[in-house]
Amino acid sequence: TFLTLDITKNYLVVCSHSSDGYSTKVRRDSAGHYHLDLEYNDGVIVLFPISEDGSISEPCDIRVFEPEDNVFSCMHSINRSPDGKFFAACERNQNKVRFMRLNYERRCLELCSTASFPWGTTYKNGHAPRYGVFHPTKPFFYFNSETVDIQDVVPKLEGIENEKVALSDLCVDANGNYMYVLYRKINVICVFTLDPETGIPAMVQSLPLAGDGPRGMTISPDGRFLLIAQRDSKEIETFSVASDGFLQPTGNSVNGFP
C-alpha cells in the first residue's frame, strides 16, 4: 500500500499493491459448455476524505482496475504533482503509468491519460514501473523499474556483476537539481544530477548503506539531511546533504523499532 495527500490535505489517496493470487472458477454457459474463469484480486486506488479532527472517513471513491489479458492490476505507488493538479500511479504488472486528477465537485478520481510500456518495447527500462516522483518545477515525472539489471542502473559500482537489484524509492530535492534513488538487495543509494533543461538524470555518486532493507526515504524540510528507513535492520539511517547534492553518512541512526 502506498499513500499520499491531496494538495488541500482534505483527501487521502491510497493505492493497493494487490497480490498475484487468483482462483479458478468453473462456469457453464447457456449452451451447456464449460469454461474456466480466472478471478484476480482487485487493483484499486481509494479516495478517503479527512475529517476536521484529522480522522479518516469512509471512502468516497474507489477506482478499480481490471485485469488485462489475464494480467492482474498492481498499483505499486502513487504520487501527487507539486501543483496538486495530478496524481501519477505506477502500475507494475500491466506496465503502465496512469495519470489522474481529483474532481473536487464529484469527490472522485478521474483518469486523464495512461502511458504504456509493454514487454518487448525498445524503451530499455520501461517494464514494471515501481516508484515515481515528480520534478518540483518542471513537467517531468520519473519512475524506476522492477525488472532492470544491475548494470543498467548503477554502472559505477564495483564488484557487483549480473546481480538483480530491487529498485526502491526516489526523491528529488526542492530545487530540482538532484535525485536520490534507493536500491534494495545490494543496499545502495545513488545520487543523480538533473539537467536543468531536459531533466535527464546522470549518476554522480553511489554509496553503500550501513543498514539493511531500505524502504522509504525523505529529505528534511531545510534540505540538510536525507533520512532512510531500513526495514530489515529496523533503523533510520541519516546522511548530510552537501551544497552540490552529494551525500555523506552522519554516523547517526535511530534503531530499536519493532
Side-chain angles (χ1 to χ4, degrees), residues 3-245:
L3 52 86
T4 186
L5 287 170
D6 82 309
I7 199 167
T8 69
K9 296 183 172 57
N10 291 322
Y11 292 93
L12 178 68
V13 186
V14 180
C15 70
S16 170
H17 186 286
S18 188
S19 69
D20 57 1
Y22 61 88
S23 60
T24 304
K25 300 291 186 179
V26 178
R27 173 175 56 87
R28 190 179 188 185
D29 63 22
S30 58
H33 301 295
Y34 290 96
H35 305 269
L36 297 179
D37 296 332
L38 295 180
E39 292 189 357
Y40 297 87
N41 294 321
D42 287 335
V44 300
I45 297 179
V46 186
L47 185 64
F48 294 93
I50 304 295
S51 302
E52 292 185 3
D53 62 0
S55 61
I56 301 174
S57 302
E58 291 290 320
C60 56
D61 184 41
I62 299 178
R63 189 170 188 93
V64 180
F65 296 89
E66 301 291 339
E68 297 181 1
D69 298 323
N70 287 330
V71 177
F72 73 94
S73 174
C74 177
M75 290 297 173
H76 199 284
S77 64
I78 189 164
N79 296 87
R80 187 195 75 219
S81 63
D83 60 8
K85 293 181 178 180
F86 303 103
F87 296 90
C90 289
E91 162 55 275
R92 187 195 69 182
N93 275 21
Q94 296 176 2
N95 300 309
K96 302 176 187 294
V97 177
R98 302 182 188 272
F99 293 89
M100 289 166 286
R101 66 168 63 92
L102 202 166
N103 186 319
Y104 286 94
E105 183 176 343
R106 298 178 58 191
R107 303 175 75 210
C108 68
L109 291 167
E110 298 176 338
L111 184 65
C112 303
S113 64
T114 300
S116 299
F117 308 97
W119 297 107
T121 65
T122 57
Y123 187 74
K124 185 177 182 181
N125 298 343
H127 299 151
R130 197 172 198 187
Y131 291 92
V133 64
F134 281 94
H135 192 286
T137 61
K138 294 184 179 294
F140 302 138
F141 179 73
Y142 303 91
F143 69 91
N144 56 24
S145 166
E146 188 158 320
T147 56
V148 177
D149 212 36
I150 181 68
Q151 294 100 326
D152 293 333
V153 288
V154 281
K156 293 184 181 179
L157 286 180
E158 297 181 357
I160 301 176
E161 296 181 359
N162 300 320
E163 182 179 347
K164 291 296 182 179
V165 55
L167 283 84
S168 191
D169 302 67
L170 312 171
C171 69
V172 176
D173 76 303
N175 296 318
N177 296 323
Y178 307 100
M179 180 166 62
Y180 303 92
V181 184
L182 289 177
Y183 301 92
R184 299 176 196 161
K185 296 185 180 180
I186 58 173
N187 296 327
V188 164
I189 184 168
C190 289
V191 182
F192 294 78
T193 58
L194 299 178
D195 185 277
E197 297 300 325
T198 65
I200 294 175
M203 197 182 76
V204 294
Q205 185 188 25
S206 60
L207 287 172
L209 301 174
D212 184 27
R215 283 180 181 261
M217 67 174 162
T218 188
I219 299 174
S220 62
D222 60 9
R224 296 173 55 205
F225 299 99
L226 184 141
L227 294 83
I228 300 172
Q230 303 279 16
R231 185 195 67 177
D232 298 337
S233 56
K234 299 180 175 61
E235 61 184 312
I236 297 175
E237 190 172 345
T238 62
F239 291 81
S240 61
V241 182
S243 58
D244 60 2

